[in-house]
Amino acid sequence: MYKLDIGWPKAPEYFTGQTFCVAVDSLHGLVYVGQRGDNVPKVLVFSEEGYFLHSWNDTVEMPHGIFVWNTATGSSVWLTDVGTGKYGHTVKQYSPLGKLLQVLGTPGNAGSSLIPLQFDQPADIFVEETGEIYVVDGDGGMNNRLLKLSDDYKELWLTGTNGSGIGQFKIPHSVTVDAFGRVWVADRGNKRIQVFDKVTGEWLGSWNGCFSEDGPYSVRFTADYKYLIVAQLNINRLAILAAPPVGSIGDCAIVHSVQLADETKPHLVDVDMRSGAVYVAEIGAQQVQKYVPLS
C-alpha cells in the first residue's frame, strides 16, 4: 500500500537529535518535526517536497507529541512537552514560526489537578476544527487519562485511571478523532486501542487482539478514514488496520504492515490528509521517513 520516498528530506543532516514526533500541515504543504537533544533545535520545519525551511527552539524542552491546527484565520502548532525543567509538563500552542501563543498546564510542575490544570508528561494532542482539544496524559507519569477541553480550555470531560480495566489506561500514548464522532487512544502499556464517544466520553469498545507482540504507539487515520496507521516501536513495524464504519468497533484486523529496519524505532506518525503520505518519526534511526501511497 505504501512505498518509501527515498528523496525525503532533501537534507537529512538537519536531523541532529532524536526525532520523537511529526505533524503535517496539509493545507500549506509543511511538515513539523519535534526532536530532542542537547543544543539542538527542538522543532524543524520542512516543505512536503523535503526542503528544510527553518527551525525554532524557544520554550521547548522535550517534545513528545505535535499537531497542526488549521482554521479559517490561520494555522498554529500544538506540542506536548514532557521535560522536567521550567517549561515541562505542558501542552503549548505556537505560531508556525515558533512564537509561543498559549500554555496549558503548570510549567515545571507535574500534577493531576484540573483547576489549575496540570499534566504529568502529556503524551499527545488532537485539536478539532472547532478548537476542542483532546489530550492523553501521560507518557509514564502519575496520570493515565484522556481529557477533552473546550476551545476556551475548560474541561468538558475526563476519563481514565491507571489500570487495565475498561476505560483505564497504562501509558495512553497517542490520540486521534475520526469522522464519525469517535476518539481513538493508543493504550500502549495495555497493548490495545480504546475508543470513546467524543461528545460524552463514553467508552465504545477496544481492540485487544492485534498488539500481542508490541503495544500501539500511534493512532492516525488515512485521509479517507478507512484505515488506521499504528506504529509499533519495539518490533519496528507500521501496522495498517481496517477502520470500522459507524457503529460497532468490532475486532481489529491488520490488513497490511510495513516492516522497518532493525532499531528504527517508529514512535509517532502523521498523515497528510491531502496527498495520503505517511510521515514516521523514528527515535532509533533519528530521522523522519515519508511513505507515499501506491496509486
Side-chain angles (χ1 to χ4, degrees):
M1 291 172 68
Y2 291 93
K3 70 170 192 287
L4 178 65
D5 179 347
I6 55 170
W8 200 97
K10 307 290 185 198
E13 59 267 24
Y14 284 101
F15 298 136
T16 49
Q18 276 196 306
T19 44
F20 270 76
C21 50
V22 59
V24 185
D25 178 352
S26 38
L27 200 60
H28 302 99
L30 300 173
V31 180
Y32 294 83
V33 176
Q35 64 173 7
R36 298 186 200 169
D38 295 330
N39 304 312
V40 302
K42 299 296 166 53
V43 179
L44 311 173
V45 189
F46 295 87
S47 71
E48 61 184 351
E49 298 82 24
Y51 294 100
F52 175 78
L53 301 175
H54 54 91
S55 64
W56 35 275
N57 209 27
D58 195 36
T59 70
V60 184
E61 273 182 42
M62 292 173 65
H64 189 279
I66 193 168
F67 186 87
V68 175
W69 182 48
N70 280 312
T71 67
T73 53
S75 63
S76 58
V77 181
W78 284 92
L79 182 142
T80 71
D81 194 330
V82 298
T84 54
K86 64 180 179 178
Y87 301 121
H89 302 298
T90 50
V91 175
K92 292 174 280 202
Q93 181 188 28
Y94 294 88
S95 76
L97 292 172
K99 180 187 177 192
L100 182 63
L101 304 175
Q102 181 65 243
V103 179
L104 305 181
T106 309
N109 286 310
S112 303
S113 168
L114 294 174
I115 305 170
L117 189 57
Q118 288 182 305
F119 299 109
D120 188 0
Q121 301 179 43
D124 195 19
I125 179 170
F126 187 95
V127 187
E128 292 197 272
E129 284 180 30
T130 59
E132 292 177 327
I133 296 170
Y134 304 82
V135 178
V136 278
D137 175 35
D139 186 42
M142 67 180 91
N143 301 330
N144 284 274
R145 61 189 186 176
L146 165 65
L147 182 66
K148 182 177 183 180
L149 302 173
S150 63
D151 60 358
D152 58 354
Y153 317 121
K154 305 282 193 297
E155 180 210 346
L156 293 175
W157 51 257
L158 169 72
T159 189
T161 54
N162 181 38
S164 52
I166 285 178
Q168 294 184 308
F169 300 112
K170 282 184 181 170
I171 308 185
H173 196 259
S174 181
V175 60
T176 194
V177 179
D178 68 15
F180 312 111
R182 301 178 297 199
V183 185
W184 298 70
V185 176
D187 185 7
R188 192 184 105 190
N190 284 321
K191 296 189 172 182
R192 65 186 178 185
I193 289 173
Q194 297 200 75
V195 189
F196 302 85
D197 183 286
K198 80 172 190 182
V199 176
T200 64
E202 176 192 3
W203 184 84
L204 297 177
S206 67
W207 281 352
N208 303 318
C210 290
F211 309 108
S212 58
E213 289 179 90
D214 189 26
Y217 275 69
S218 71
V219 280
R220 285 292 181 268
F221 282 94
T222 55
D224 58 7
Y225 290 99
K226 288 182 177 174
Y227 302 98
L228 198 59
I229 313 273
V230 176
Q232 294 177 280
L233 180 140
N234 296 295
I235 57 173
N236 305 296
R237 184 172 80 169
L238 299 180
I240 295 146
L241 293 93
V246 183
S248 167
I249 301 304
D251 291 324
C252 55
I254 294 178
V255 295
H256 187 69
S257 64
V258 178
Q259 188 60 50
L260 309 177
D262 284 355
E263 299 303 318
T264 298
K265 299 194 168 152
H267 184 249
L268 289 171
V269 309
D270 203 15
V271 176
D272 185 333
M273 292 309 239
R274 198 178 57 199
S275 72
V278 177
Y279 293 84
V280 185
E282 302 166 349
I283 58 177
Q286 301 200 5
Q287 64 182 2
V288 170
Q289 290 191 303
K290 178 182 182 181
Y291 286 85
V292 293
L294 296 167
S295 49

